[in-house]
Amino acid sequence: MEFLEFKKVYKVYPTGVRALDNVNLSIEKGEFVFLWGATGAGKTTLMKLITREELPTSGEVWLEGCEISALEDRYLPILRRNLGVVFQDLKLVPHWTVYENLISPLQVLGVRKKYAHHLVEEILDLVHLQDKKHHIAEWLSGGEKQKLCLGRALIHRPHLVLADEPTGNLDGATALELVGALFEFSKKLGATVIIATHSEELISQFPARLVVLNKGKIIQS
Amino acid sequence: MSKDRAFHRRGIKSSYLVMGFLSIFFTQLLLNLFIFGYLELQQMGGVWQSSFAIQAFFREGVAPEVVEKVQEEVKALPLAGEVRLVSSEEAKNKFLGYFSLQEEDLGLEENPFPPSLEVRARRVEELPLLAQELEEIEAFEEVFYGGENTEALLRFYRFFLTAGGFLLLALFVFSLLVVTAVIRASIQARGIEIEVWSLIGATKKFIRAPFIYQGMMEGLSGGVAAFLVSLVFFHFLLDFLNTSFPLFFWISWEELVLPLGVVSVLMGSFLGFLGALLACNSVEEESAK
Ligand SMILES: Nc1ncnc2c1ncn2[C@@H]1O[C@H](COP(=O)(O)OP(=O)(O)O)[C@@H](O)[C@H]1O
Ligand SMILES: [Mg+2]
């Protein structure tokens, strides 16, 4: 059984755009994957099928033996709690502090306050936001917001991390540092990580599997 | 800096909190005014209805045994409530007293006032029916009750009670709409929070809980505030009314406390709860599209 599997997946948006075109893809547990493609290639759409923000037009998406493309809505919370997602548009709550944004996945999981607090401190160190702990998210720089978003994706130590253009607002050095942190996380916890990016520079820096998406088709995996 | 932050954060929530509170506060005030009017109407109706009685006059020269027998007969009627015999003597004295006359002023040898029965209906609505039944009794010369006037009055009163009931209901629906709209706005203002919670795997219940709580608290505080303000208001109003129109049957302030308190607190929190629930539903439906 594969960890994550796309079977003959098509996604056509109501506007008629064919975002994914017969995608077949298998990813094993613990793999570190770059999903590479130009803007509009369908990377975000592919991620959204895993988080169930979208449903495939046809085909199946399987995660750990569960067909998530057929999952009933009431089970979505269970699916999403087990994912760590860096959304392309971040999805931070702007009027919450860094601390509040970071701790939110732990609140959903019902983690005890003391332990949650401890985990937040750990993550603050990992993403270098220790001195911004009580700042309002809205006031952070673009790069800091992205670090915060990564922190929130990792804080509950998910088995599968999806990072959609997590370095879009970062300079080269910070981008490397951040993806480095993700790489460390993956190796340490055996987590599966998928990073969507259009940066060629980034993918050459890590010993990772490369999946190339072009106009909704997988042309290399 | 931390001060600015606190201000910024409170600013988002408090404006909506105040709106929710005020919407419940004002509708509850209105509701309390209505409850007062309704209770007052009922009270007046009670007093006024008990003054309705049928006067059934016996024929001239009726024998005392017949009077007694008929009185028992009337008492046995299912529609009849209290039955009282008014003797000719009493009728005469009443007449004399009424016009401040002396016995000699009448200059009569015989008492011209026939004895009568004063009959009240068990239920005031049945007054005309009861009068009809009395008319069929041979021993009575004449049966008198307000007739059409009484019936018209009764109809009027019943109409008022029904209309008041409907208005109360309409007011309730209206408050619910207002509260829902306000809480809905406050939920929509926190749309990003809801979206984020949902994306990181929070259940519907988890997401809704704070809004339901907020709605109930707004409702409860609005209700309690309306209750206190109403109490003060009615205290002065009744003081004023009692001194200005002392003969009128005003409800007492103490009688108002319990109904107003129960309705304000229960209705306030219930409205807040229901409003929040409806608002959550409609926002969820919208975001599902
Ligand atoms: N909600 C949507 N409705 C209609 N078209 C969409 C929607 N989301 C994405 N698309 C289209 O689907 C294609 C793939 O988009 P996306 O998955 O965001 O690509 P990428 O993330 O690789 O840039 C694009 O042409 C985009 O315009
Ligand atoms: Mg994208």
Side-chain angles (χ1 to χ4, degrees):
Chain A
M1 181 185 74
E2 301 291 342
F3 179 70
L4 177 66
E5 196 167 13
F6 282 70
K7 294 180 183 170
K8 294 183 190 158
V9 170
Y10 290 81
K11 177 66 187 181
V12 183
Y13 282 109
T15 51
V17 176
R18 185 177 284 235
L20 291 179
D21 195 349
N22 192 19
V23 167
N24 292 282
L25 177 67
S26 294
I27 289 172
E28 276 170 44
K29 198 167 174 63
E31 265 190 297
F32 194 85
V33 181
F34 279 117
L35 181 63
W36 187 77
T39 302
K43 305 182 294 294
T44 299
T45 301
L46 193 143
M47 298 267 191
K48 282 185 172 173
L49 293 181
I50 303 171
T51 59
R52 266 296 296 272
E53 288 166 84
E54 293 288 350
L55 279 165
T57 308
S58 69
E60 296 168 7
V61 182
W62 290 76
L63 176 64
E64 290 188 287
C66 171
E67 191 191 345
I68 55 180
S69 49
L71 204 60
E72 280 179 51
D73 279 357
R74 63 195 163 110
Y75 295 124
L76 292 188
I78 299 172
L79 166 70
R80 289 175 180 173
R81 282 172 203 187
N82 286 295
L83 303 176
V85 187
V86 179
F87 300 94
Q88 186 167 12
D89 50 353
L90 303 180
K91 306 276 189 209
L92 296 169
V93 179
H95 57 275
W96 284 358
T97 61
V98 167
Y99 180 85
E100 286 170 327
N101 271 287
L102 280 177
I103 207 168
S104 55
L106 302 177
Q107 289 175 320
V108 167
L109 288 168
V111 174
R112 268 185 300 124
K113 243 196 184 132
K114 210 168 162 192
Y115 184 52
H117 192 79
H118 167 77
L119 289 176
V120 170
E121 293 298 327
E122 250 184 41
I123 282 292
L124 283 170
D125 285 338
L126 184 80
V127 295
H128 304 296
L129 282 175
Q130 198 54 265
D131 56 331
K132 299 277 161 57
K133 183 174 166 184
H134 293 300
H135 286 216
I136 292 292
E138 201 175 4
W139 297 352
L140 299 177
S141 72
E144 286 165 342
K145 282 181 188 166
Q146 249 162 354
K147 288 179 182 178
L148 172 56
C149 202
L150 179 67
R152 186 184 61 186
L154 302 185
I155 193 158
H156 54 300
R157 301 180 175 171
H159 293 309
L160 176 57
V161 179
L162 308 171
D164 196 353
E165 315 258 10
T167 59
N169 288 313
L170 301 177
D171 57 79
T174 319
L176 275 184
E177 185 191 311
L178 212 74
V179 177
L182 248 172
F183 196 78
E184 284 302 308
F185 178 89
S186 165
K187 291 293 155 279
K188 208 166 108 190
L189 297 173
T192 311
V193 176
I194 305 173
I195 302 176
T197 182
H198 61 263
S199 157
E200 291 177 50
E201 204 185 320
L202 204 61
I203 58 177
S204 58
Q205 301 287 329
F206 295 89
R209 177 172 165 197
L210 183 63
V211 175
V212 181
L213 206 55
N214 184 31
K215 292 178 183 161
K217 283 186 197 297
I218 289 190
I219 54 173
Q220 179 192 326
S221 69
Chain B
M1 169 128 125
S2 67
K3 229 182 197 173
D4 282 352
R5 194 188 74 225
F7 176 74
H8 174 92
R9 302 194 52 205
R10 216 175 301 133
I12 282 181
K13 289 178 187 168
S14 63
S15 62
Y16 284 109
L17 274 174
V18 167
M19 272 166 64
F21 169 83
L22 284 181
S23 70
I24 295 195
F25 174 72
F26 281 116
T27 48
Q28 190 61 50
L29 268 189
L30 216 63
L31 207 63
N32 284 353
L33 265 178
F34 232 89
I35 290 167
F36 167 72
Y38 197 80
L39 289 177
E40 187 56 50
L41 200 66
Q42 261 188 337
Q43 161 123 343
M44 271 165 45
V47 171
W48 168 76
Q49 282 180 9
S50 69
S51 69
F52 279 119
I54 303 170
Q55 211 75 35
F57 296 96
F58 286 101
R59 287 184 191 287
E60 228 171 295
V62 71
E65 312 89 66
V66 176
V67 169
E68 211 163 293
K69 205 191 107 212
V70 169
Q71 190 180 352
E72 291 310 310
E73 204 176 302
V74 170
K75 267 185 185 164
L77 288 177
L79 293 184
E82 198 185 323
V83 178
R84 197 173 75 85
L85 175 67
V86 182
S87 67
S88 2
E89 201 62 18
E90 191 184 340
K92 189 181 72 185
N93 290 339
K94 217 170 165 182
F95 179 82
L96 291 174
Y98 199 77
F99 293 101
S100 310
L101 298 171
Q102 295 302 312
E103 175 107 40
E104 302 81 62
D105 298 335
L106 285 178
L108 295 168
E109 280 160 30
E110 261 178 55
N111 183 349
F113 299 96
S116 63
L117 288 183
E118 202 177 282
V119 186
R120 282 168 216 281
R122 244 176 234 292
R123 294 182 46 223
V124 73
E125 289 89 345
E126 289 161 357
L127 210 62
L129 221 65
L130 181 61
Q132 229 170 21
E133 284 183 18
L134 293 181
E135 265 165 7
E136 279 160 23
I137 294 174
E138 200 49 32
F140 290 131
E141 166 92 53
E142 196 183 358
V143 172
F144 178 82
Y145 82 108
E148 274 178 20
N149 284 337
T150 309
E151 283 177 58
L153 264 174
L154 279 174
R155 267 204 301 278
F156 193 60
Y157 175 71
R158 276 198 295 266
F159 168 76
F160 253 103
L161 276 189
T162 319
F166 273 112
L167 265 172
L168 218 56
L169 194 73
L171 204 59
F172 177 73
V173 173
F174 171 75
S175 346
L176 191 62
L177 289 180
V178 172
V179 173
T180 309
V182 169
I183 296 179
R184 213 182 114 93
S186 84
I187 295 179
Q188 272 167 342
R190 294 169 69 180
I192 179 70
E193 275 175 65
I194 294 174
E195 190 188 355
V196 169
W197 281 126
S198 161
L199 283 173
I200 63 179
T203 57
K204 252 188 188 178
K205 239 184 178 165
F206 181 101
I207 300 172
R208 280 175 171 208
F211 293 104
I212 304 274
Y213 178 76
Q214 178 191 329
M216 270 183 80
M217 281 302 122
E218 280 172 38
L220 188 66
S221 50
V224 168
F227 172 57
L228 296 178
V229 170
S230 304
L231 279 190
V232 173
F233 172 75
F234 287 124
H235 183 75
F236 286 110
L237 181 73
L238 286 170
D239 251 11
F240 167 75
L241 290 175
N242 274 318
T243 42
S244 307
F245 311 97
L247 291 180
F248 214 74
F249 297 100
W250 297 113
I251 197 167
S252 74
W253 185 75
E254 287 77 10
E255 278 176 277
L256 271 177
V257 174
L258 189 68
L260 288 192
V262 169
V263 172
S264 296
V265 169
L266 287 187
M267 200 75 117
S269 34
F270 179 66
L271 271 179
F273 169 78
L274 203 58
L277 199 68
L278 290 176
C280 281
N281 273 340
S282 79
V283 169
E284 270 165 20
E285 256 170 49
E286 211 165 78
S287 65
K289 271 173 202 168

